[in-house]
Amino acid sequence: MEEILSGALYVVATPIGNLSDMTYRAQYVLDNVDLIAAEDTRTSGVLLRHYDVKTQLRSYHSYNLKTETPKLVKLLKQGKSIALISDAGTPGISDPGYQLVQACIEQEIKVIPIPGASALTAALPVSGLPINRFVFEGFLPQKKGRKTRLEWLSQEDRTVVFYESPHRIERTVNDLIKFFGDRKCVMARELTKKFEEIFRGNLSDLKTRLEVKKIKGEIVLLIAAKSL
Ligand code: SAM
């Protein structure tokens, strides 16, 4: 496999549930860098033990990224190779990553992508909705700005993709019906895991489905474009 570059930041995707979705390259990079910056060192510890990776872990979380970003940049400048991972999936996608990558770019530090799983790219191709063009919204704001985002997105002419938690899905579906009307939608839940479910229907069907049985697990919600 390739030589690990000193003084480079590797942005490494990890599985979103099924541990067999780790790539050979990701495992190799994690095994051979000097340091791994991980969102949650305990969560990533479990993952890394599974692949027998013994590289030192260090926390890089939304709570400490202000203080940690300059420290990691300093280590990179000193020639250390660092891998950035999140709890699951691709760093930076609704996860910490952007600030560190931005700081590296400013300091002319090489940033190398190690692509792999993301709930976004896992859900899109199985949705059955047009995905040549789509818009990714991530998590909707809970309070301030929620109504404005929903009004704006309801006019979108592309498939709209949200991340959502099982505790908030009912409220979000109700809001979507209010702002978007009874559009086609897809709920992709627990992707790559034992209880994987891909629900396709209209928003009102999804509302009924959620009333019948409370759901658990992680969710990607896709809404058809206005014109579909
Ligand atoms: N960086 C991750 C990625 O690349 O997908 C996303 C991290 S974000 C903090 C976590 C959210 O991603 C979950 O609340 C859920 O909306 C979505 N997600 C993560 N894993 C998932 C899975 N296995 N199935 C469905 N959605 C998932």
Side-chain angles (χ1 to χ4, degrees):
M1 202 94 58
E2 73 213 58
E3 185 194 341
I4 296 293
L5 299 181
S6 52
L9 176 72
Y10 291 82
V11 181
V12 182
T14 57
I16 56 166
N18 188 324
L19 295 180
S20 303
D21 287 334
M22 185 77 151
T23 70
Y24 292 124
R25 192 172 172 224
Q27 187 172 355
Y28 172 82
V29 168
L30 294 177
D31 212 12
N32 288 284
V33 287
D34 294 314
L35 187 70
I36 300 172
E39 199 184 352
D40 183 324
T41 50
R42 270 202 313 194
T43 306
S44 293
V46 176
L47 183 88
L48 297 178
R49 271 194 294 283
H50 179 85
Y51 304 111
D52 204 23
V53 169
K54 297 191 178 72
T55 310
Q56 187 194 336
L57 272 173
R58 183 178 172 130
S59 157
Y60 186 71
H61 200 278
S62 51
Y63 304 123
N64 71 7
L65 50 82
K66 265 216 172 93
T67 51
E68 273 302 302
T69 300
K71 289 183 193 165
L72 290 171
V73 167
K74 194 170 167 199
L75 289 169
L76 287 157
K77 282 285 203 194
Q78 288 168 356
K80 298 277 185 226
S81 53
I82 299 180
L84 173 68
I85 59 174
S86 56
D87 285 353
T90 301
I93 301 186
S94 295
D95 266 339
Y98 162 74
Q99 284 85 348
L100 180 58
V101 170
Q102 184 60 34
C104 288
I105 294 164
E106 276 166 21
Q107 295 292 317
E108 295 184 6
I109 291 166
K110 201 167 170 59
V111 182
I112 300 170
I114 308 294
S118 173
L120 172 66
T121 50
L124 279 163
V126 295
S127 68
L129 297 171
I131 57 165
N132 279 347
R133 300 186 307 132
F134 63 87
V135 52
F136 175 60
E137 180 64 12
F139 293 99
L140 274 168
Q142 287 312 300
K143 293 187 188 132
K144 200 167 170 283
R146 186 176 172 95
K147 184 170 171 281
T148 319
R149 293 306 306 148
L150 285 164
E151 275 168 357
W152 179 264
L153 291 165
S154 67
Q155 299 309 309
E156 256 301 333
D157 195 27
R158 296 171 286 185
T159 298
V160 185
V161 189
F162 299 98
Y163 280 170
E164 194 46 284
S165 91
H167 317 292
R168 296 192 282 256
I169 184 75
E170 285 192 64
R171 176 185 172 212
T172 295
V173 169
N174 285 332
D175 283 350
L176 287 169
I177 291 172
K178 194 159 116 197
F179 286 89
F180 286 56
D182 195 14
R183 295 241 191 122
K184 265 190 171 179
C185 70
V186 178
M187 176 181 69
R189 188 171 69 86
E190 292 288 87
L191 293 171
T192 77
K193 303 186 205 177
K194 189 173 175 192
F195 296 107
E196 179 177 276
E197 176 192 10
I198 300 171
F199 177 95
R200 303 180 183 85
N202 280 8
L203 280 164
S204 59
D205 304 322
L206 180 56
K207 183 177 159 71
T208 309
R209 156 79 181 83
L210 297 171
E211 281 163 1
V212 171
K213 194 167 176 247
K214 287 263 171 284
I215 57 163
K216 292 183 185 157
E218 304 192 275
I219 299 165
V220 182
L221 189 58
L222 305 97
I223 314 293
K226 196 180 175 202
S227 55
L228 202 74

